[in-house]
């Protein structure tokens, strides 16, 4: 048996990498690039992100007088304190609770004074509890709730997360669902399965969800195979979300962008469009190439930090969503933070524009061998004719998955595929995902859930017999 | 072949069916089987008799007709004497899940997809699984970590492990999957994987017994998934996870499937008399067309959820190996001994 392979997932943050910061347990989620000058604004404090470099993903930080400091093991909140051990029999209840706003004897001046004297956030929380006349009468659960609320305000915690398909999709879905066409993470996962995405695949994608799908496919290919992101018309759609994935240079170089009409004309004509080199290696790198690691690591790319939120709005990339395309800083409902001035350093827009154009040799290979599978995520498009154009580009027996946030376009598409007999195994599904709170004696589904993650039409392209030989 | 191990291995339009290939014979969406192609093989099903020899040299995805017999079902489209037809598909982990022989309850595509995504598997990862069961999930795990990653899967049932090993061998997955017989609940995972697993999947009756061992196997920030049909199992598993895991989340995922058909609905205003008392016959009238509706009506494509569906599979609990505290502290709290 071969020795165990070396780890492929980086477990520690490095200079120049993309990170996801989860501030106060999901209240705020934001992507950052760990460039030397990168900062995050927490409350009224601007903290350098340098302390994150070299720290393991999954580490928790608190805000100290000098910026972010890693929480010691003891400080890390034990998973849900009140939940440990046996289920206690609760005898208290809220019958004597009167909401007259007099329970707290500590005034905001007192708190300010404590802060000036350098009291830690945790100390302030303790003081608030000590000065609350009702705290002792609360149930254990509401005591926990109270503590958590105060902790978020006075002792914010920053969790360093590793961007991956899972965390990127969840973050966008939670904060900017329109940007990714309301595609939930379980829907994306299903499509990756249904399209049989794995090593050495040549996956054809139509990604009008900002690059979420192209990035997810590239991650699954792990530096093998190819992603061909095809677009309608003459302008490629933005796939800048792929910058959030820490894709290696090799993985990034395997993402191509090709105009659909070019792929289709290739299919219809007998030969590759010209007598040009057949070399598969001779891929043309356009100036607007998807940035590889080296360009991403440059300081010019502080685009990912808060400061550029406003300037990013000027970038001519994004279209349907209010949120600017460059706004990796996904933040909502936290007015205490970060809307900084509109004059941050400007970003290099070209680094976002497009993947490489495939070489004629690669195009020829795809024409002859067909793509291994297809994923379409074009939430604003009619898919029937699009899919009719795309399916002939697939190899025989290749699976496909078409996403839509509306049922009708998929129903029409499925019906026309049934009639044309281009595919079998056709199925429209809608995943339903429910999360549970699991605590001793308090287990139940979450009170709030997302009710819709999108529809998927899946199927398998079949070989249509040549009518001449009556196969 | 099911999971390519090098670029020449993948099914493309150039590839033709040859002796030794596994094909998935697609009869209908709810009826498929895996067949290994042999020179003199014969497949007999309700659509007729199919000689493997007729399949050789054809594309994957081809439609093939029976040489004799059959006639019913798929036969209604038959153009040749004798027979019905089937399609020959290239195997994928998704198709395998639909055709494998059930030695245990298996995981299906919805759970599998969420597990692979939440375990954050990418090529090159090392993943541990217990139990192996029928190998449905294992096959998808192998695809996710191929070509250079590894799945180490354990089952305490000797014969089940052997059958799974045979299946993996047949599907060309042996270099990706190592099957071992071991009682993970009783003994924990083998020490050789300590600190080397990117992800661990547990499908055990008493998962909490295996969680301390899981904690020592996982790399920091690595993900554990425990699949349990009963909420009581989830409850105890979560309690066991609290000592050295964070980010503990429990999900349930189900799929709703939609039927699509073409038809016309009667207009509410036109032809009122015809509408009276006709509700139960609606469907038939639509089918026969004509007099029941207004001549201006056109048919349209409509979708509705299928009436039957799987109501429950299991709860999926995911948790991350906590990075807080040194490895030593973690070992202490997760120690099996």
């Amino acid at each position: 048996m071969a020795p165990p392979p070396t780890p492929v997932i980086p477990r520690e943050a490095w200079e120049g990498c993309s990170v996801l910061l989860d501030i106060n347990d999901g209240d705020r989620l934001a992507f950052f690039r760990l460039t030397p000058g990168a900062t995050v604004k927490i409350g009224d404090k601007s903290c350098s992100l340098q302390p994150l470099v070299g720290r393991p993903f999954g580490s928790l930080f608190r805000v100290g007088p000098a910026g972010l400091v890693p929480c010691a093991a003891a400080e890390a909140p034990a998973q849900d304190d009140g939940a440990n051990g046996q289920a206690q029999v609760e005898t208290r209840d809220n019958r004597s609770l009167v909401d007259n706003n007099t329970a707290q004897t500590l005034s905001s001046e007192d708190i300010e004074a404590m802060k000036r004297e350098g009291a830690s956030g945790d100390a302030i929380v303790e003081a608030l509890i000590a000065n609350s006349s009702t705290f002792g009468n609360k149930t254990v659960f509401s005591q926990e709730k109270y503590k958590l609320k105060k902790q978020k305000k006075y002792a914010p915690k920053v969790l360093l997360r590793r961007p991956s398909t899972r965390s990127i999709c969840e973050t966008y879905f939670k904060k900017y669902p329109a940007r990714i066409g309301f595609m939930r993470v379980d829907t994306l996962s299903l499509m990756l399965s249904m399209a049989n995405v794995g090593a050495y695949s040549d996956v054809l994608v139509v990604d009008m969800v900002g690059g979420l799908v192209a990035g997810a496919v590239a991650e699954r290919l792990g530096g093998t195979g190819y992603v061909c992101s095809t677009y309608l018309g003459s302008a490629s759609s933005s796939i800048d979300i792929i910058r959030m994935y820490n894709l290696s240079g090799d993985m990034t170089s395997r993402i191509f962008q090709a105009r659909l009409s070019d792929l289709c004309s290739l299919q219809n004509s007998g030969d590759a469009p010209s007598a040009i080199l057949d070399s598969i290696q001779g891929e043309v790198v356009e100036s607007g190439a998807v940035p590889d690691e080296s360009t991403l690591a440059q300081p010019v790319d502080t685009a990912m930090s808060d400061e550029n939120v406003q300037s990013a709005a000027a970038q001519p990339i994004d279209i349907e969503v209010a949120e600017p395309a460059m706004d990796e800083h996904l933040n909502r409902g936290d007015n205490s933070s970060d809307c900084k001035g509109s004059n941050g350093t400007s970003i290099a827009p070209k680094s976002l524009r497009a993947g490489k154009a495939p070489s004629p040799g690669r195009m020829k290979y795809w024409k002859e061998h067909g793509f291994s599978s297809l994923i379409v995520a074009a939430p604003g498009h009619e898919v029937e004719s699009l899919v009719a154009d795309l399916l002939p580009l697939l190899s025989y027996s290749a699976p496909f998955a078409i996403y839509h946030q509306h049922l009708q376009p998929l129903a029409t598409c499925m019906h026309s595929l049934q009639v044309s007999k281009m595919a079998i195994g056709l199925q429209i599904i809608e995943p339903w995902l429910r999360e549970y709170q699991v605590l001793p004696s308090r287990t139940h589904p979450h009170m709030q859930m997302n009710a819709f993650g999108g529809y998927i039409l899946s199927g398998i392209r079949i070989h249509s017999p040549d009518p001449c030989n009556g196969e | 072949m099911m999971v390519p191990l090098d670029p020449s291995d993948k099914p493309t339009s150039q590839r033709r069916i040859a002796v030794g290939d596994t094909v998935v014979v697609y009869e209908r969406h709810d009826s498929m089987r895996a067949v290994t192609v042999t020179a003199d093989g014969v497949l007999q099903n309700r659509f007729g008799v199919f000689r493997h020899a007729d399949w050789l040299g054809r594309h994957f995805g081809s439609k093939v007709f029976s040489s004799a017999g059959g006639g019913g079902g798929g036969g209604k489209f038959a153009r040749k004497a004798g027979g019905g037809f089937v399609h020959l598909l290239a195997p994928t982990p998704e198709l395998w899940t639909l055709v494998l022989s059930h030695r245990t309850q298996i995981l299906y595509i919805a759970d599998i997809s969420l597990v692979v995504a939440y375990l954050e598997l990418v090529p090159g990862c090392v993943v541990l699984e217990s139990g192996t069961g029928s190998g449905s999930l294992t096959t998808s795990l192998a695809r996710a970590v191929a070509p250079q990653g590894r799945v180490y899967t354990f089952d305490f049932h000797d014969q089940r492990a052997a059958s799974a090993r045979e299946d993996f061998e047949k599907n060309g997955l042996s270099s990706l999957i190592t099957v071992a017989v071991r009682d993970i609940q009783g003994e924990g995972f083998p020490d050789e994987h300590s600190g080397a697993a990117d992800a661990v999947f547990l499908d055990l009756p008493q998962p909490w017994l295996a969680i301390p061992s899981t904690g020592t196997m996982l790399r920091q920030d690595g993900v554990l998934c425990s699949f349990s049909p009963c909420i009581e199992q989830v409850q105890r598993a979560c309690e066991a996870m609290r000592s050295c895991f964070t980010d503990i989340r429990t999900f349930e995922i189900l799929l709703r499937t939609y039927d699509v058909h073409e038809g016309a609905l009667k207009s509410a205003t036109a032809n009122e008399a015809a509408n009276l008392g006709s509700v139960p016959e609606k469907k038939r009238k639509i089918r026969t067309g004509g007099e029941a509706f207004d001549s201006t009506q056109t048919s349209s494509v409509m979708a509705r959820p299928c009436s039957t569906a799987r109501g429950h599979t299991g709860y999926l609990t995911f948790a991350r190996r906590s990075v807080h505290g040194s490895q030593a502290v973690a070992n202490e709290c997760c120690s099996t001994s």
Side-chain angles (χ1 to χ4, degrees), chain A residues 343-358:
Chain A
N343 52 356
T345 39
S346 83
I347 2 146
K350 71 177 171 84
S351 66
L352 298 173
R353 272 341 244 299
K356 284 178 279 189

Side-chain angles (χ1 to χ4, degrees), chain B residues 35-217:
Chain B
V35 173
T36 303
V37 179
T38 57
D40 52 359
V42 172
L43 168 73
Q44 188 151 13
N45 64 13
R46 67 189 131 156
F47 300 122
V49 178
F50 298 84
R51 287 185 296 130
H52 294 191
D54 293 341
W55 303 350
L56 300 177
R58 287 184 191 261
H59 293 282
F60 282 94
S62 290
K63 183 182 194 173
V64 291
F65 293 90
S66 70
S67 49
K76 72 180 166 176
F77 298 113
R79 284 162 215 142
K80 288 194 168 175
F85 63 81
V86 295
H87 283 93
L88 306 176
L89 303 179
T92 64
E94 284 62 46
L95 291 173
W96 182 250
T97 289
L98 300 175
V99 299
L100 56 78
S101 46
H102 286 221
R103 299 178 283 268
T104 55
Q105 182 65 257
I106 66 163
L107 263 74
Y108 290 97
I109 186 164
D111 291 299
I112 291 173
S113 304
L114 197 65
V115 167
V116 172
Y118 265 60
L119 292 183
E120 300 182 326
L121 297 180
V122 295
C125 279
V126 174
V127 52
L128 311 182
E129 180 195 35
S130 181
T132 310
S134 307
S136 171
L137 173 68
T138 321
T139 304
S140 283
L141 295 176
R143 174 180 61 195
V145 304
Q148 72 277 35
R150 284 286 184 290
V151 183
Y152 296 96
T153 183
F154 302 90
D155 203 298
F156 62 20
H157 194 287
D158 213 338
Q159 203 201 329
R160 211 184 279 153
S163 306
R165 199 179 291 119
E166 256 170 54
D167 280 351
F168 300 145
E169 183 104 19
K170 212 171 65 185
N171 289 330
L173 302 173
S174 300
S175 63
L176 297 168
I177 304 173
T178 306
V179 187
V181 180
R182 190 177 173 99
D183 172 15
I184 298 299
Q185 280 185 185
E187 302 171 68
F189 289 100
D191 287 339
E192 59 183 292
H193 302 300
S194 185
D198 293 291
V200 174
F201 178 84
L202 303 177
D203 179 356
L204 296 170
Q206 295 166 293
W208 53 92
L209 296 176
I211 282 166
S213 164
T214 300
T216 62
M217 297 300 126

